């Protein structure tokens, strides 16, 4: 009730590794053909005995990182099978909470969604923060607008739903187009297909006990596209890595 995932990492994980973090290094090539792995970035080169790869599957799909040798065929097939929806998120601060905990504006089952949610729900907070997540085709009405017009569009939508209470209570907002983020290229919602289960499971498997994978689409196949399963996959990847040393 007093924290978030970011707070958890900053409290329990970051203190032990913060001196080793290298920021603003865009990985271009991972060469695991030798005992010592070479990781080349846009600014230099690093070496390691083992590597955990955690970029979104869209980055691998676009070929933004080259692997030497190429990833195994089964891994490449899984990468081609998986894809992420385009997506948009917005958080809006209001003077008063005129909304319920959750409003599912549009839902056709699994997959694309458009929903408003109380981002401060069950938190020890006096702030009134309403979140919006829109995925796939439901994100396009927002993404198709200039950024300066998006909040007006959203407030009108909320006014229509809540009898004009949104605009007079509006304080400020922040929004994020995940589709335009060069290190995401989509949301954490995966497009579902017949092969999704096996592809997600295949993505979690290490390569030659050198390359390990963790993230929301690198799981045991029982769940994906959520923060908690991404965290769980990271723990499993570390356990596998340690077991190989």
């Amino acid at each position: 009730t007093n924290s978030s995932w970011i707070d958890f990492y900053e409290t329990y994980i970051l203190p032990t590794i913060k001196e080793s973090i290298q920021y603003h290094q865009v990985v271009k090539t991972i060469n695991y053909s030798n005992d010592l792995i070479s990781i080349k970035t846009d600014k230099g080169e690093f070496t390691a005995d083992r590597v955990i790869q955690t970029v979104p599957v869209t980055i691998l799909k676009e070929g933004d990182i080259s692997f030497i040798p190429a990833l195994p065929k089964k891994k490449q097939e899984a990468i081609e099978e998986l894809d992420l929806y385009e997506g948009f998120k917005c958080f809006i601060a209001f003077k008063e909470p005129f909304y319920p905990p959750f409003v599912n504006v549009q839902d056709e089952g699994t997959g694309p969604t458009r929903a408003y949610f109380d981002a401060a729900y069950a938190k020890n907070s006096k702030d009134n923060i309403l979140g919006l997540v829109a995925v796939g085709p439901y994100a396009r009405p927002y993404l198709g607008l200039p950024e300066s017009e998006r909040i007006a569009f959203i407030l009108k939508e909320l006014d229509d739903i809540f009898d004009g209470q949104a605009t007079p209570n509006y304080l400020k907002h922040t929004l994020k187009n995940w589709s335009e983020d060069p290190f995401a290229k989509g949301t954490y919602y995966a497009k579902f297909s017949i092969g999704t289960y096996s592809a997600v499971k295949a993505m979690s498997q290490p390569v030659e006990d050198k390359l390990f994978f963790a993230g929301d689409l690198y799981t045991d196949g029982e769940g994906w596209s959520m923060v908690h399963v991404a965290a769980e996959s990271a723990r499993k990847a570390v356990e596998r890595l340690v077991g190989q040393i």
Side-chain angles (χ1 to χ4, degrees):
T1 60
N2 293 309
S3 65
S4 66
W5 277 104
I6 294 297
D7 295 316
F8 177 85
Y9 287 122
E10 288 181 342
T11 301
Y12 296 104
I13 297 176
L14 186 61
T16 63
I17 62 172
K18 62 181 179 181
E19 299 302 325
S20 300
I21 297 175
Q22 296 285 335
Y23 292 98
H24 307 295
Q25 299 274 349
V26 182
V27 174
K28 297 296 186 179
T29 304
I30 298 177
N31 186 335
Y32 64 101
S33 59
N34 302 311
D35 290 339
L36 204 59
I37 303 169
S38 169
I39 304 101
K40 289 186 178 180
T41 75
D42 60 338
K43 295 181 180 178
E45 184 175 2
F46 300 86
T47 56
D49 297 301
R50 303 288 187 273
V51 171
I52 299 181
Q53 186 283 131
T54 64
V55 301
V57 73
T58 45
I59 303 301
L60 301 182
K61 201 177 187 74
E62 293 283 329
D64 292 351
I65 299 176
S66 298
F67 291 88
I68 304 173
L71 293 174
K73 183 179 179 181
K74 191 171 183 179
K75 187 78 74 175
Q76 293 186 42
E77 290 174 347
I79 292 170
E80 287 304 309
E81 177 73 28
L82 297 170
D83 202 2
L84 298 180
Y85 284 110
E86 57 192 318
F88 168 82
K89 258 190 175 181
C90 182
F91 292 93
I92 313 168
F94 290 104
K95 300 173 188 174
E96 300 293 336
F98 53 85
Y99 43 81
F102 190 79
V103 180
N104 210 356
V105 184
Q106 202 156 357
D107 185 12
E108 297 179 356
T110 59
T113 188
R114 178 166 65 107
Y116 287 96
F117 59 97
D118 183 352
Y121 184 74
K123 300 285 186 182
N124 289 333
S125 174
K126 294 181 180 179
D127 294 324
N128 304 306
I129 309 294
L130 187 65
L132 164 65
V133 58
V135 176
Y138 303 140
R140 290 168 196 159
Y142 308 99
L143 298 178
L145 293 170
E147 188 165 325
S148 59
E149 297 178 17
R150 284 177 188 158
I151 188 60
F153 181 85
I154 293 168
L155 289 175
K156 183 182 184 306
E157 183 173 71
L158 289 170
D159 282 335
D160 291 341
I161 298 172
F162 297 108
D163 299 323
Q165 296 183 76
T167 299
N169 278 294
Y170 169 79
L171 291 174
K172 58 183 178 179
H173 74 281
T174 183
L175 41 82
K176 178 71 174 182
N177 180 352
W178 288 106
S179 303
E180 292 182 352
D181 188 307
F183 305 113
K185 299 185 178 181
T187 65
Y188 46 84
Y189 284 85
K191 294 180 181 178
F192 184 80
S193 65
I194 294 175
T196 299
Y197 175 94
S198 57
V200 168
K201 195 168 184 178
M203 288 306 303
S204 71
Q205 298 303 307
V207 175
E208 296 185 9
D209 293 330
K210 291 181 178 180
L211 302 183
F212 299 80
F213 298 81
D216 66 299
L217 286 182
Y218 307 90
T219 76
D220 58 8
E222 295 296 332
W224 55 80
S225 293
M226 295 294 172
V227 174
H228 62 283
V229 294
E232 184 180 2
S233 78
R235 178 169 180 163
K236 289 179 178 178
V238 171
E239 288 174 345
R240 280 176 169 172
L241 183 152
V242 171
Q244 298 300 327
I245 295 177

